[in-house]
Amino acid sequence: MAEIDRSGGVAVPPPMPTGRLRAAWRAAHAPVAGAPRWASIAAYAVPLVVLPSSLWRLPATLLHGGGPGVKVYVVCLSIAAELVAFTAVGLVASWGERFPRWIPWLRGRTVPALLAVIPATAAAAFLTVLWTAAFVAIFRGVTLGGAPTPPDFPTRQGVWSTTTFYICYLPLLLWGPLLAVVTYAYHRRRRARHRPHVRHRTRGTTRGRAAGCQGRTPRTTPQRRVRPARSALRTQCSTRWWS
């Protein structure tokens, strides 16, 4: 409900609940402890390299033809592409290591490392091969199936259409490599946390190693006194007698 200002008597709308939105935004984007800076930059760059192509599809379809079904499909495709690209941020955020609260039966539990590493690695390889092959085919003037590109293809609609298409779609070549870099950093970070602690042992005998592991000073074995041979004793005694 609106509150009344006592000074002027004007109704003032209640403040917007932006605190929860800011907290959710920070929780979704804040890097987790141990994530290197280069991995965070690569993760944040993934949604940005997908965004131009998603924005290009909307006016190209909504304004230049296509039935209602095609328009709904393109809008859903653009939204789905951004959501899939945003999952790369989870590889450097806390919700990539623990399930969020809104997921039933899994909230708060630790995400298995392989559950994130295997799909991310497969997706990185698939996206790299897909967009590389797609642009090789576009540069050759054919589709992925080998047929010539249709007359209404953007690269055949003039200089302006071709330039806009390449500016918006060429960043997709970085999607796969960036995802691979972030996946490697995620795998290395999770493996380092679960690696068993290696104890440092002191060099020397078995007794010295055991004492070093327990934090004590190793004992030193006293050296035995070496006795001279009997022949040397006889020679020494005879020398003293005759002298």
Side-chain angles (χ1 to χ4, degrees), residues 1-188:
M1 297 178 62
E3 299 178 358
I4 299 177
D5 191 2
R6 296 181 179 179
S7 60
V10 181
V12 180
M16 296 295 292
T18 57
R20 295 183 179 180
L21 296 178
R22 292 180 179 177
W25 178 269
R26 292 177 181 176
H29 293 79
V32 72
R37 184 176 179 83
W38 53 268
S40 301
I41 294 175
Y44 299 148
V46 172
L48 297 179
V49 300
V50 182
L51 183 61
S53 60
S54 300
L55 296 177
W56 179 88
R57 282 192 296 266
L58 297 178
T61 304
L62 299 178
L63 300 178
H64 298 287
V70 176
K71 295 179 181 180
V72 172
Y73 166 75
V74 170
V75 172
C76 294
L77 177 63
S78 299
I79 296 176
E82 284 299 317
L83 292 178
V84 172
F86 185 73
T87 56
V89 181
L91 297 177
V92 296
S94 60
W95 54 275
E97 297 185 1
R98 289 189 176 274
F99 290 102
R101 297 179 180 178
W102 51 268
I103 299 180
W105 302 292
L106 295 175
R107 60 185 65 181
R109 295 186 178 182
T110 303
V111 178
L114 295 180
L115 186 62
V117 171
I118 293 177
T121 304
F126 173 76
L127 292 170
T128 302
V129 174
L130 173 64
W131 290 113
T132 302
F135 275 99
V136 169
I138 291 173
F139 292 151
R140 294 174 55 189
V142 297
T143 61
L144 287 175
T149 54
D152 58 346
F153 198 75
T155 57
R156 302 183 64 180
Q157 296 295 321
V159 178
W160 173 253
S161 179
T162 303
T163 304
T164 307
F165 173 79
Y166 282 133
I167 290 176
C168 295
Y169 270 83
L170 277 177
L172 290 176
L173 290 172
L174 301 176
W175 190 355
L178 288 175
L179 182 59
V181 170
V182 180
T183 304
Y184 168 73
Y186 178 85
H187 174 66
R188 189 179 68 172

